[in-house]
Amino acid sequence: MNVLILGAGGREHALSWKISQSSILNKLFVAPGNAGTANIATNVDLLVTDFDAIANFCLANNIEMIVVGPEAPLVEGIHDYFEQHEQLNKISIIGPKKLGATLEGSKRFAKEFMMKHHIPTAKYKAFTKDTLEEGYNFLENLTAPYVLKADGLAGGKGVLILNDIDKAKEGLTEMLTQDKFGEAGNEVVIEEFLDGIELSVFVLTDGDSYKILPEAKDYKRIGEGDTGLNTGGMGAISPVKFADSLFMTKVESQIVTPTIQGFKKDGIDYKGFVFIGLMNVNGNPYVIEYNVRMGDPETEVVIPRIKSDLLDLFEGVATNTLSERDLEISDQTVCTVMAVSGGYPETYEKGKEITGLESVTESIPFHAGTKSVNEKVHTNGGRVIAVSSMGRNTKEALEKSYTSLAKISYEAMYYRKDIGFDLD
Ligand code: AMP
Ligand code: GLY
């Protein structure tokens, strides 16, 4: 099979690393990719939302399957676009159509879906600038902290969690009337605060059956001890101890099954990943958000734990035969530690030469923001390299990642030294 992966981060490097090992792969392309994917696939200079250019490339290169990494092409309808064009509709797309992608594209839509299908989530109400006063009243009837979410896509930055009622009203006013978070904030979901520990659960579905992939914990804050600004993710670990079989049984019966059945009931044709961000509140799972793609950096720990052929599973998704495919998961622990550019998640510089990657032997350095320049690897983003390692336990896996990170160097390199501090 000829496969095109869309995206340029650590998630896409991890997906290409795994797919490149498949016995049914012929040629692998990544658009636009990075210096890591260039070593195992052919990078193609395409914008992930330029559907015409992607279509032309697919036709010229006999692409049979597109694996969509990030959410933007899905929310903009890449799956619908390919299905609607006669020459393109034989190409399988791993990722939902626009309607399914709305689960990530609109928080209100996701909340309504959960309410309708009795999926546990925080109580909420949605407001627009015409209902601002009602929003203030709703806030007054909640207790602190107050959770305000821009309805639309805001690059993971559209959530405010505030302790003070006046600050919460100010935040709501700024989102609804002053374009804080731009158009994404034209509608705001206000919800009850859930006090617990977060977990990322991943499901692969062909629309009828599903497989639950390894779960992971993501470390989102820039600073050690989970302090400072939110980032795209500074590290991840899988498996997660508190996600034991009792907890995961609740996740499956209360969340995963009703979600997949909800798709069918609502006529949502869903083929791809469902990423369920949830909170464990006193042993019970509540959905915080749905994403319609894999997480990053969670993919860098989830994928190495999958022993089965990922392309075979994807073929099962495309042909509605997922239930006939095997998913074998390693019981080893995988951790990843993200090295970032100094200054991230605020301003940072790019174009710094990265050295030492070739001396990493015990870990897989998944490239997140890198670029090849004259045979050298340069930094090309905030998150630069996710160093993933496998071990018998969290401690062993982490030691390998930290040993490997000590061999890698670039100007103003930073990474958290305490990933996993709250586990084991
Ligand atoms: P989201 O963009 O929905 O993932 O929200 C970003 C982060 O805000 C989440 O990862 C949680 O840490 C936090 N968060 C979102 N909703 C809630 C909630 N209802 N209660 C507590 N924390 C929340
Ligand atoms: N790591 C969280 C995300 O990918 O959204």
Side-chain angles (χ1 to χ4, degrees), residues 205-233:
T205 181
D206 59 8
D208 287 310
S209 68
Y210 62 80
K211 299 216 186 275
I212 300 182
L213 307 178
E215 77 287 352
K217 187 165 193 303
D218 172 23
Y219 291 80
K220 287 203 169 101
R221 302 292 195 94
I222 188 73
E224 286 167 12
D226 285 341
T227 55
L229 293 174
N230 248 326
T231 70

mmCIF file of all heavy atoms in Angstrom, residues 205-233:
data_model
loop_
_atom_site.group_PDB
_atom_site.id
_atom_site.type_symbol
_atom_site.label_atom_id
_atom_site.label_comp_id
_atom_site.label_asym_id
_atom_site.label_seq_id
_atom_site.Cartn_x
_atom_site.Cartn_y
_atom_site.Cartn_z
ATOM 1 N N THR A 205 -11.551 3.359 15.674
ATOM 2 C CA THR A 205 -12.843 2.777 15.287
ATOM 3 C C THR A 205 -13.053 2.812 13.775
ATOM 4 O O THR A 205 -12.555 3.712 13.092
ATOM 5 C CB THR A 205 -14.017 3.507 15.997
ATOM 6 O OG1 THR A 205 -15.258 2.892 15.613
ATOM 7 C CG2 THR A 205 -14.081 4.993 15.652
ATOM 8 N N ASP A 206 -13.801 1.811 13.303
ATOM 9 C CA ASP A 206 -14.206 1.817 11.888
ATOM 10 C C ASP A 206 -15.664 2.264 11.776
ATOM 11 O O ASP A 206 -16.285 2.166 10.727
ATOM 12 C CB ASP A 206 -14.014 0.434 11.249
ATOM 13 C CG ASP A 206 -14.805 -0.678 11.937
ATOM 14 O OD1 ASP A 206 -15.641 -0.372 12.822
ATOM 15 O OD2 ASP A 206 -14.595 -1.859 11.593
ATOM 16 N N GLY A 207 -16.217 2.716 12.884
ATOM 17 C CA GLY A 207 -17.603 3.191 12.897
ATOM 18 C C GLY A 207 -18.548 2.148 13.472
ATOM 19 O O GLY A 207 -19.610 2.477 13.984
ATOM 20 N N ASP A 208 -18.127 0.870 13.411
ATOM 21 C CA ASP A 208 -18.954 -0.208 13.967
ATOM 22 C C ASP A 208 -18.298 -0.781 15.220
ATOM 23 O O ASP A 208 -18.877 -0.796 16.278
ATOM 24 C CB ASP A 208 -19.128 -1.332 12.938
ATOM 25 C CG ASP A 208 -20.076 -0.916 11.840
ATOM 26 O OD1 ASP A 208 -21.175 -0.422 12.165
ATOM 27 O OD2 ASP A 208 -19.723 -1.060 10.654
ATOM 28 N N SER A 209 -17.078 -1.255 15.037
ATOM 29 C CA SER A 209 -16.382 -1.799 16.205
ATOM 30 C C SER A 209 -15.251 -0.846 16.571
ATOM 31 O O SER A 209 -14.977 0.127 15.860
ATOM 32 C CB SER A 209 -15.850 -3.190 15.898
ATOM 33 O OG SER A 209 -14.830 -3.077 14.943
ATOM 34 N N TYR A 210 -14.614 -1.132 17.691
ATOM 35 C CA TYR A 210 -13.517 -0.260 18.118
ATOM 36 C C TYR A 210 -12.476 -1.065 18.861
ATOM 37 O O TYR A 210 -12.729 -2.178 19.319
ATOM 38 C CB TYR A 210 -14.057 0.851 19.033
ATOM 39 C CG TYR A 210 -14.683 0.349 20.316
ATOM 40 C CD1 TYR A 210 -13.895 -0.014 21.409
ATOM 41 C CD2 TYR A 210 -16.067 0.201 20.423
ATOM 42 C CE1 TYR A 210 -14.476 -0.505 22.571
ATOM 43 C CE2 TYR A 210 -16.648 -0.290 21.589
ATOM 44 C CZ TYR A 210 -15.836 -0.639 22.663
ATOM 45 O OH TYR A 210 -16.407 -1.130 23.803
ATOM 46 N N LYS A 211 -11.291 -0.482 18.975
ATOM 47 C CA LYS A 211 -10.236 -1.057 19.810
ATOM 48 C C LYS A 211 -9.705 0.056 20.698
ATOM 49 O O LYS A 211 -9.431 1.160 20.213
ATOM 50 C CB LYS A 211 -9.113 -1.616 18.946
ATOM 51 C CG LYS A 211 -9.586 -2.734 18.031
ATOM 52 C CD LYS A 211 -8.537 -3.796 17.861
ATOM 53 C CE LYS A 211 -8.958 -4.842 16.840
ATOM 54 N NZ LYS A 211 -9.785 -5.907 17.411
ATOM 55 N N ILE A 212 -9.567 -0.254 21.992
ATOM 56 C CA ILE A 212 -9.000 0.730 22.908
ATOM 57 C C ILE A 212 -7.482 0.558 22.896
ATOM 58 O O ILE A 212 -6.965 -0.534 23.132
ATOM 59 C CB ILE A 212 -9.576 0.561 24.333
ATOM 60 C CG1 ILE A 212 -11.104 0.747 24.281
ATOM 61 C CG2 ILE A 212 -8.934 1.559 25.297
ATOM 62 C CD1 ILE A 212 -11.805 0.650 25.620
ATOM 63 N N LEU A 213 -6.794 1.633 22.569
ATOM 64 C CA LEU A 213 -5.331 1.613 22.495
ATOM 65 C C LEU A 213 -4.773 1.895 23.897
ATOM 66 O O LEU A 213 -5.522 2.268 24.805
ATOM 67 C CB LEU A 213 -4.861 2.682 21.496
ATOM 68 C CG LEU A 213 -5.495 2.617 20.102
ATOM 69 C CD1 LEU A 213 -4.980 3.751 19.225
ATOM 70 C CD2 LEU A 213 -5.188 1.273 19.433
ATOM 71 N N PRO A 214 -3.469 1.762 24.093
ATOM 72 C CA PRO A 214 -2.914 2.076 25.417
ATOM 73 C C PRO A 214 -3.256 3.501 25.846
ATOM 74 O O PRO A 214 -3.271 4.418 25.022
ATOM 75 C CB PRO A 214 -1.406 1.929 25.194
ATOM 76 C CG PRO A 214 -1.273 0.989 24.047
ATOM 77 C CD PRO A 214 -2.446 1.261 23.156
ATOM 78 N N GLU A 215 -3.526 3.653 27.142
ATOM 79 C CA GLU A 215 -3.812 4.984 27.682
ATOM 80 C C GLU A 215 -2.488 5.696 28.003
ATOM 81 O O GLU A 215 -1.435 5.047 28.038
ATOM 82 C CB GLU A 215 -4.678 4.881 28.945
ATOM 83 C CG GLU A 215 -3.953 4.456 30.210
ATOM 84 C CD GLU A 215 -3.549 2.984 30.271
ATOM 85 O OE1 GLU A 215 -3.959 2.209 29.386
ATOM 86 O OE2 GLU A 215 -2.802 2.621 31.208
ATOM 87 N N ALA A 216 -2.565 7.005 28.241
ATOM 88 C CA ALA A 216 -1.329 7.741 28.561
ATOM 89 C C ALA A 216 -1.625 8.925 29.462
ATOM 90 O O ALA A 216 -2.758 9.401 29.539
ATOM 91 C CB ALA A 216 -0.666 8.234 27.274
ATOM 92 N N LYS A 217 -0.589 9.369 30.158
ATOM 93 C CA LYS A 217 -0.690 10.608 30.923
ATOM 94 C C LYS A 217 0.249 11.597 30.278
ATOM 95 O O LYS A 217 1.392 11.283 29.952
ATOM 96 C CB LYS A 217 -0.296 10.357 32.380
ATOM 97 C CG LYS A 217 -0.541 11.578 33.229
ATOM 98 C CD LYS A 217 -0.518 11.269 34.707
ATOM 99 C CE LYS A 217 -1.066 12.438 35.493
ATOM 100 N NZ LYS A 217 -0.350 13.696 35.246
ATOM 101 N N ASP A 218 -0.280 12.812 30.112
ATOM 102 C CA ASP A 218 0.452 13.876 29.427
ATOM 103 C C ASP A 218 0.844 14.924 30.476
ATOM 104 O O ASP A 218 0.071 15.173 31.398
ATOM 105 C CB ASP A 218 -0.533 14.448 28.383
ATOM 106 C CG ASP A 218 -0.060 15.685 27.669
ATOM 107 O OD1 ASP A 218 1.144 15.919 27.610
ATOM 108 O OD2 ASP A 218 -0.932 16.419 27.145
ATOM 109 N N TYR A 219 2.024 15.495 30.343
ATOM 110 C CA TYR A 219 2.475 16.559 31.270
ATOM 111 C C TYR A 219 2.452 17.869 30.499
ATOM 112 O O TYR A 219 3.302 18.107 29.647
ATOM 113 C CB TYR A 219 3.874 16.221 31.811
ATOM 114 C CG TYR A 219 3.799 15.031 32.727
ATOM 115 C CD1 TYR A 219 3.737 13.737 32.208
ATOM 116 C CD2 TYR A 219 3.693 15.192 34.096
ATOM 117 C CE1 TYR A 219 3.594 12.635 33.040
ATOM 118 C CE2 TYR A 219 3.552 14.100 34.943
ATOM 119 C CZ TYR A 219 3.509 12.830 34.404
ATOM 120 O OH TYR A 219 3.353 11.747 35.233
ATOM 121 N N LYS A 220 1.440 18.710 30.798
ATOM 122 C CA LYS A 220 1.161 19.857 29.923
ATOM 123 C C LYS A 220 1.910 21.139 30.296
ATOM 124 O O LYS A 220 2.107 21.990 29.448
ATOM 125 C CB LYS A 220 -0.335 20.175 29.956
ATOM 126 C CG LYS A 220 -1.182 19.165 29.217
ATOM 127 C CD LYS A 220 -2.513 19.764 28.785
ATOM 128 C CE LYS A 220 -3.247 18.861 27.835
ATOM 129 N NZ LYS A 220 -4.311 18.087 28.455
ATOM 130 N N ARG A 221 2.280 21.272 31.581
ATOM 131 C CA ARG A 221 2.869 22.555 31.998
ATOM 132 C C ARG A 221 4.363 22.616 31.669
ATOM 133 O O ARG A 221 5.047 21.608 31.692
ATOM 134 C CB ARG A 221 2.667 22.759 33.497
ATOM 135 C CG ARG A 221 1.227 22.741 33.931
ATOM 136 C CD ARG A 221 0.462 23.951 33.409
ATOM 137 N NE ARG A 221 -0.791 24.092 34.123
ATOM 138 C CZ ARG A 221 -0.937 24.866 35.202
ATOM 139 N NH1 ARG A 221 0.068 25.590 35.657
ATOM 140 N NH2 ARG A 221 -2.100 24.920 35.817
ATOM 141 N N ILE A 222 4.841 23.827 31.441
ATOM 142 C CA ILE A 222 6.247 24.023 31.071
ATOM 143 C C ILE A 222 7.186 23.741 32.245
ATOM 144 O O ILE A 222 8.314 23.288 32.057
ATOM 145 C CB ILE A 222 6.468 25.463 30.515
ATOM 146 C CG1 ILE A 222 7.873 25.649 29.943
ATOM 147 C CG2 ILE A 222 6.198 26.539 31.563
ATOM 148 C CD1 ILE A 222 8.111 24.969 28.633
ATOM 149 N N GLY A 223 6.722 24.013 33.479
ATOM 150 C CA GLY A 223 7.630 23.968 34.626
ATOM 151 C C GLY A 223 7.525 22.680 35.426
ATOM 152 O O GLY A 223 6.500 21.985 35.410
ATOM 153 N N GLU A 224 8.615 22.379 36.138
ATOM 154 C CA GLU A 224 8.622 21.175 36.970
ATOM 155 C C GLU A 224 7.589 21.279 38.084
ATOM 156 O O GLU A 224 7.262 22.375 38.531
ATOM 157 C CB GLU A 224 10.042 20.931 37.476
ATOM 158 C CG GLU A 224 10.862 20.401 36.311
ATOM 159 C CD GLU A 224 12.358 20.366 36.495
ATOM 160 O OE1 GLU A 224 12.833 20.539 37.629
ATOM 161 O OE2 GLU A 224 13.033 20.176 35.476
ATOM 162 N N GLY A 225 7.046 20.131 38.489
ATOM 163 C CA GLY A 225 5.990 20.113 39.491
ATOM 164 C C GLY A 225 4.669 20.601 38.910
ATOM 165 O O GLY A 225 3.792 21.055 39.636
ATOM 166 N N ASP A 226 4.525 20.522 37.584
ATOM 167 C CA ASP A 226 3.309 20.975 36.884
ATOM 168 C C ASP A 226 3.004 22.433 37.189
ATOM 169 O O ASP A 226 1.910 22.786 37.652
ATOM 170 C CB ASP A 226 2.101 20.091 37.246
ATOM 171 C CG ASP A 226 2.157 18.738 36.556
ATOM 172 O OD1 ASP A 226 2.897 18.615 35.560
ATOM 173 O OD2 ASP A 226 1.473 17.813 37.014
ATOM 174 N N THR A 227 3.978 23.295 36.960
ATOM 175 C CA THR A 227 3.795 24.731 37.192
ATOM 176 C C THR A 227 4.033 25.497 35.892
ATOM 177 O O THR A 227 4.602 24.966 34.942
ATOM 178 C CB THR A 227 4.804 25.246 38.247
ATOM 179 O OG1 THR A 227 6.115 24.897 37.793
ATOM 180 C CG2 THR A 227 4.545 24.638 39.617
ATOM 181 N N GLY A 228 3.602 26.763 35.895
ATOM 182 C CA GLY A 228 3.862 27.633 34.739
ATOM 183 C C GLY A 228 2.858 27.450 33.617
ATOM 184 O O GLY A 228 1.802 26.829 33.793
ATOM 185 N N LEU A 229 3.208 27.979 32.449
ATOM 186 C CA LEU A 229 2.267 28.033 31.329
ATOM 187 C C LEU A 229 1.965 26.655 30.748
ATOM 188 O O LEU A 229 2.782 25.741 30.842
ATOM 189 C CB LEU A 229 2.850 28.919 30.218
ATOM 190 C CG LEU A 229 2.990 30.411 30.548
ATOM 191 C CD1 LEU A 229 3.722 31.133 29.413
ATOM 192 C CD2 LEU A 229 1.619 31.042 30.790
ATOM 193 N N ASN A 230 0.790 26.562 30.138
ATOM 194 C CA ASN A 230 0.408 25.352 29.415
ATOM 195 C C ASN A 230 1.193 25.250 28.115
ATOM 196 O O ASN A 230 1.463 26.252 27.471
ATOM 197 C CB ASN A 230 -1.076 25.432 29.061
ATOM 198 C CG ASN A 230 -1.874 24.415 29.831
ATOM 199 O OD1 ASN A 230 -1.401 23.313 30.114
ATOM 200 N ND2 ASN A 230 -3.090 24.788 30.180
ATOM 201 N N THR A 231 1.532 24.036 27.721
ATOM 202 C CA THR A 231 2.240 23.816 26.457
ATOM 203 C C THR A 231 1.455 22.781 25.663
ATOM 204 O O THR A 231 0.434 22.284 26.128
ATOM 205 C CB THR A 231 3.638 23.221 26.724
ATOM 206 O OG1 THR A 231 3.469 21.868 27.193
ATOM 207 C CG2 THR A 231 4.410 24.029 27.754
ATOM 208 N N GLY A 232 1.987 22.413 24.511
ATOM 209 C CA GLY A 232 1.384 21.307 23.760
ATOM 210 C C GLY A 232 1.593 19.975 24.460
ATOM 211 O O GLY A 232 0.918 19.000 24.170
ATOM 212 N N GLY A 233 2.543 19.914 25.397
ATOM 213 C CA GLY A 233 2.849 18.661 26.103
ATOM 214 C C GLY A 233 4.349 18.496 26.239
ATOM 215 O O GLY A 233 5.074 18.591 25.253
#
